[in-house]
Amino acid sequence: MNVTEILPFLIPLIIAQFALLGYTLYHIFTHNTYKRGNRTVWLIITLVFMNFVGPILYFILGKEDN
Amino acid sequence: MKTLFSFIKKEFTEQVRSGKLWLLFIIFILFGIMNPAIAKLTPWLLETLSDSLAESGMTVTSVTVTALDSWVQFFKNIPMGLIVFIILESSIFTKEYASGTLLLSLTKGLERYKVVVSKAFVLSALWTVYYVICFGITYLYSAYFWDNSVAQNLVFSVVIRWLFGMFVISLTVLFSVVFKTNTSVLAAVGGCVAVSYLAGFLPKIKSFVPTYLTDGNSLIYGLSESGNYTVSLIITLLLTVACVCISIPLFNKKQL
Amino acid sequence: MLRITDLYKSFGNVRVLDGLDLHVPEHSIFGFIGKNGSGKTTTMKTVLGLLKADSGTVEVAGEKVVYGNSPTNRHVGYLPDVPEFYSFMTAPEYLRFCGEITGMTNTDIKKRSGELLELVGLSGERHRIGGFSRGMKQRLGIAQALINSPRLLICDEPTSALDPVGRKEILDILTSAREKTTVIFSTHILSDVERICTDVAFLKDGKAELQGNISDVKSRYGIDEYSIETDCGDTVRALLERFPAMTHIRGKLSFRESDVCVFDVLAYISEKRLPTAKIERCEPTLESLFMEAESK
């Protein structure tokens, strides 16, 4: 298997993942209070589980309802 | 009609501005790409693992991947998407109970049934759009790498899987009207799906329960044919409509 | 405008409303006074059809209120004690939404919401409601309640959570709203009632007491109080000794006509030639009326 074969996946996957990651990080940095936890905890979770599990966890458990 | 429309507009604005729309959008796109990607990477994964597998006594023969593997992944991953969708949207009613925002709208003369109808409509519309996006991406990749025609009953199996999602949404609406917190809503919806799933182990009623519709794999492999699903299909449809219809009078009587 | 007849409501074993009768005349500002937990909010929610009464009738503009979707709500604007709006909207967007669900036309909505934002001092406010202060939310609450030009405006403790400046703003807005609507507001802050209300009712043990026009209520139920001011310690001592029913605070003696006859006091003062600075008859205040009603 060579890289060119998986490029059609790789490019959009990377774009989508980074869009999600970027959006999550933006949200974390523009909010000072969270439903649970604090900024450091959510940054670590988001970055460690960056392939969508971290961001989803943040939006379900961490994001305040305004 | 105009009031219904403006309440629906409010729901959509909320989805967009709370960021839920974009979040779910990206998640379903990710799932859509991952289905064929995992299928494509399976042989390569097995190859790298073959040494350790050989040590444990398993021999790896070369595998050929087809579109079927991609669709198997689709049916495996779509429940994850549905779960994330329901968890994120389970507060669509309860958030308004807790904050008291509905009270003002209702004292302004908004008819209560319009609240239920709007929210049910918005949930269904969003689920449909996300589902179509996920399906579309998987379909296009599978068509590009392999041949989708090997998957039998593809459209039918995908449509009944979508209907199962609609059924879960109608449960969410019903329990949102009954309960006050989204944790109880989630627990009740989860409970109902679990009951249906467990009932699926009883051979006698196996093909009657809604969770029977989630068995897309047997359909695409041609192990089962669409006719087998008719009863389950009708029951699920009836339950879905019934849930929404029961929600309206319940909501009319609900103490807010 | 609003007539409540023989209203009963219990929560479990607790009877909150016990045969409440209330009449709010048109174009009045009606102060609905009661302690916390006396049933003010319950009464208001019943008027809005949000609570089901055990028995009794509520009429708004001559029309009966029914539980659930009450058609009378088209005459009514409601401001809850802690108004909550969709925090993701801006103030003009929220007013537009309110206008739309009451079935107003687009041109009406535009005109009316412009006027109201001006009235409550929120025009030019482009932030989302999520970042509003309590006072701003309260003012937006009045604007949304007035959007459909209601004939009756019901406010549940609109001033309790605000600072003096915010309170004055709200009271001014309510006063200016009186030209077109009847205003009924509940409160436990008596000075607010004194400041703007024309009519009043005290809610006690689930019944309305001391109900009616403020000056009527005062003259009917008020007990005349007198006060005597003096710099002379001997005067105080002599008077207290002769009239033990008097109360003494910082050189000022006060008594009620029901306890001590004012002519006896005057006669005693002139007989003993006691030096006094001032003898005065005091107007009854709502405060004293309220305390009186409460202690009965």
Side-chain angles (χ1 to χ4, degrees), chain B residues 9-78:
Chain B
K9 195 177 78 184
K10 172 242 139 192
E11 290 293 335
F12 269 113
T13 317
E14 185 165 12
Q15 293 287 331
V16 175
R17 296 204 184 158
S18 67
K20 275 183 198 164
L21 188 92
W22 306 119
L23 180 68
L24 285 166
F25 204 58
I26 296 175
I27 289 170
F28 276 82
I29 289 177
L30 275 175
F31 277 127
I33 303 172
M34 270 164 47
N35 297 327
I38 293 172
K40 186 79 185 162
L41 294 177
T42 310
W44 176 73
L45 271 174
L46 286 176
E47 213 170 286
T48 47
L49 291 173
S50 62
D51 288 345
S52 54
L53 284 173
E55 274 169 29
S56 59
M58 286 173 76
T59 45
V60 179
T61 51
S62 67
V63 275
T64 37
V65 180
T66 66
L68 284 170
D69 297 277
S70 176
W71 290 111
V72 168
Q73 285 300 320
F74 177 83
F75 290 118
K76 205 176 106 196
N77 286 330
I78 207 72

Side-chain angles (χ1 to χ4, degrees), chain B residues 169-233:
Chain B
I169 287 171
S170 74
L171 286 176
T172 312
V173 172
L174 177 65
F175 290 121
S176 292
V177 168
V178 175
F179 296 115
K180 273 196 151 39
T181 62
N182 74 323
T183 22
S184 17
V185 173
L186 284 174
V189 173
C192 283
V193 175
V195 166
S196 167
Y197 179 76
L198 292 175
F201 285 112
L202 304 171
K204 272 188 185 164
I205 53 169
K206 183 175 175 252
S207 58
F208 300 153
V209 294
T211 35
Y212 193 55
L213 299 181
T214 60
D215 180 25
N217 289 343
S218 341
L219 271 168
I220 55 169
Y221 276 104
L223 301 173
S224 179
E225 34 183 300
S226 54
N228 298 348
Y229 293 81
T230 318
V231 182
S232 169
L233 197 65

